[in-house]
Amino acid sequence: MKEQKVYVGVDVAKAYLDVAWGQESWRVTNDVLGRSALVQRLNQIAGSLQVICEASGGYERGLLEALHRAEIKVSLVQASRVRQYARASGILAKTDSIDAHLLCRFGEAIRPPAAPPPKPQQDQLRQLETQRRHLSRLLVAEQNRSAQLTQSALIKLSRSLRHQIQKQIAQIDLLIKQLIEHSQELSSKAQKLTAITGVGPRTAALLLAQMPELGELNRREAAALAGLAPFNRDSGTARGKRSIFGGRRAVRSGLYMAALVAARHNPILAAFYQRLRSAGKPPKLALTATMRKLLIVLNSALKADPLLA
């Protein structure tokens, strides 16, 4: 007899976790004791259990770690998908308890796949890379503000702040480099990625951190995950303009810079880009297609058997 699938919704906040299962709901603190109590209660539920939660700015990390340690399946879903499901279901109110029940219903209706437990080195790399991008944004913002300063004291303080940010970025770059070099798996993947013209160590680290599934996907899945799959906009006899949507913005931004280089210096991708331009395609569309082509090449390079790409 097939075991019953049970979905539990967990709405994550900084201080609390609101949990919903069927008609039941309860709240625990989002700390070690609260998460331990949650795991104990979940283990008492009969059936094949799967927790559904949303990304919440990093506050979900402790919950995911506790669930993976307890070997409880968990899916981390996009908040936009859940809100669209709520509107389609006519649910307009929003509270933590309502959101928990909504996640439970979302799991029952959509049945999202469970996320595999992250490897420790993979999680470290993701945190380092995320912090580096944050510091890079701060640096650009401060550089833009410094151009408007006229007081010498403020100019000096701004220069000092930019120096500190640059110093931290350099330290994180070193930590990323050491982490990749000390991991046989990450080092092997990084070498395969950087062997492709247009992809440097920075882009390789970004892909390894933010798209660890690369090499395990087919070309359509890879393009969709990065937000580079064109979606139709057709209705009746009308044919709308295809456009990309969603996906992982950080990956897409990194591939944009890599595609700019590849469109000039990579013989295969440069020819591909020029072929699109000669066919009358706009520069932006041709570059987006080159980004997608580059991603497919990178995905194939990391496959155990390239014939499966």
Side-chain angles (χ1 to χ4, degrees):
M1 186 174 180
K2 189 175 181 180
E3 190 175 25
Q4 182 183 2
K5 190 78 172 182
V6 178
Y7 290 94
V8 177
V10 179
D11 184 70
V12 180
K14 180 178 181 180
Y16 296 101
L17 300 172
D18 284 272
V19 189
W21 166 51
Q23 299 301 316
E24 296 185 37
S25 62
W26 68 94
R27 168 178 282 189
V28 297
T29 54
N30 192 4
D31 55 21
V32 175
L33 292 178
R35 293 189 291 267
S36 176
L38 172 61
V39 168
Q40 291 180 9
R41 188 161 180 177
L42 292 177
N43 284 329
Q44 297 174 2
I45 299 177
S48 177
L49 186 68
Q50 184 169 332
V51 173
I52 311 294
C53 64
E54 298 172 344
S56 184
Y59 295 128
E60 77 284 356
R61 189 172 298 129
L63 171 65
L64 296 179
E65 292 175 354
L67 293 174
H68 284 310
R69 282 197 303 270
E71 297 183 351
I72 296 176
K73 294 180 180 179
V74 57
S75 296
L76 192 65
V77 298
Q78 292 179 330
S80 59
R81 293 183 63 193
V82 180
R83 292 318 307 168
Q84 289 167 1
Y85 174 79
R87 285 193 289 269
S89 303
I91 303 174
L92 302 180
K94 180 173 171 46
T95 66
D96 294 339
S97 178
I98 290 176
D99 285 349
H101 280 284
L102 178 62
L103 286 165
C104 181
R105 290 179 55 181
F106 178 88
E108 293 171 348
I110 307 300
R111 297 180 177 272
K119 299 177 182 178
Q121 291 177 326
Q122 175 65 47
D123 187 60
Q124 293 174 28
L125 180 60
R126 183 187 58 79
Q127 291 187 50
L128 287 169
E129 199 283 326
T130 299
Q131 180 66 9
R132 190 196 188 282
R133 282 188 292 109
H134 169 67
L135 291 175
S136 296
R137 290 192 294 267
L138 287 181
L139 181 60
V140 171
E142 188 58 31
Q143 287 171 338
N144 292 337
R145 285 183 56 83
S146 65
Q148 306 171 13
L149 300 177
T150 57
Q151 296 185 33
S152 58
L154 293 178
I155 293 174
K156 183 178 180 180
L157 288 172
S158 177
R159 187 184 301 115
S160 176
L161 176 58
R162 297 198 308 272
H163 175 73
Q164 288 298 321
I165 295 175
Q166 290 170 338
K167 185 177 179 180
Q168 288 192 28
I169 290 176
Q171 291 174 342
I172 291 177
D173 282 339
L174 180 59
L175 291 174
I176 290 175
K177 183 175 180 291
Q178 292 174 343
L179 180 62
I180 292 176
E181 288 178 347
H182 293 162
S183 168
Q184 184 176 357
E185 180 182 357
L186 293 177
S187 178
S188 175
K189 288 184 176 181
Q191 289 176 10
K192 292 178 181 178
L193 294 176
T194 54
I196 298 171
T197 303
V199 179
R202 174 77 195 103
T203 303
L206 169 67
L207 292 170
L208 291 175
Q210 302 299 334
M211 201 169 175
E213 303 92 342
L214 203 62
E216 301 174 1
L217 310 168
N218 60 43
R219 59 181 62 199
R220 293 182 180 84
E221 292 171 337
L225 195 59
L228 292 173
F231 290 94
N232 295 346
R233 294 292 186 269
D234 301 338
S235 179
T237 58
R239 292 295 177 265
K241 186 178 181 180
R242 272 67 171 160
S243 60
I244 60 175
F245 177 79
R248 298 178 183 176
R249 183 178 299 178
V251 173
R252 193 162 58 250
S253 298
L255 286 173
Y256 177 83
M257 300 305 298
L260 281 176
V261 177
R264 293 186 178 185
H265 303 290
N266 187 302
I268 297 175
L269 294 177
F272 175 77
Y273 176 81
Q274 290 301 328
R275 194 160 56 246
L276 293 175
R277 294 289 290 122
S278 299
K281 302 299 183 183
K284 189 173 182 180
L285 188 151
L287 187 59
T288 301
T290 303
M291 291 167 60
R292 185 164 57 251
K293 185 76 169 179
L294 174 60
L295 179 64
I296 291 171
V297 171
L298 295 171
N299 186 56
S300 298
L302 294 187
K303 282 185 176 291
D305 184 356
L307 296 177
L308 299 177

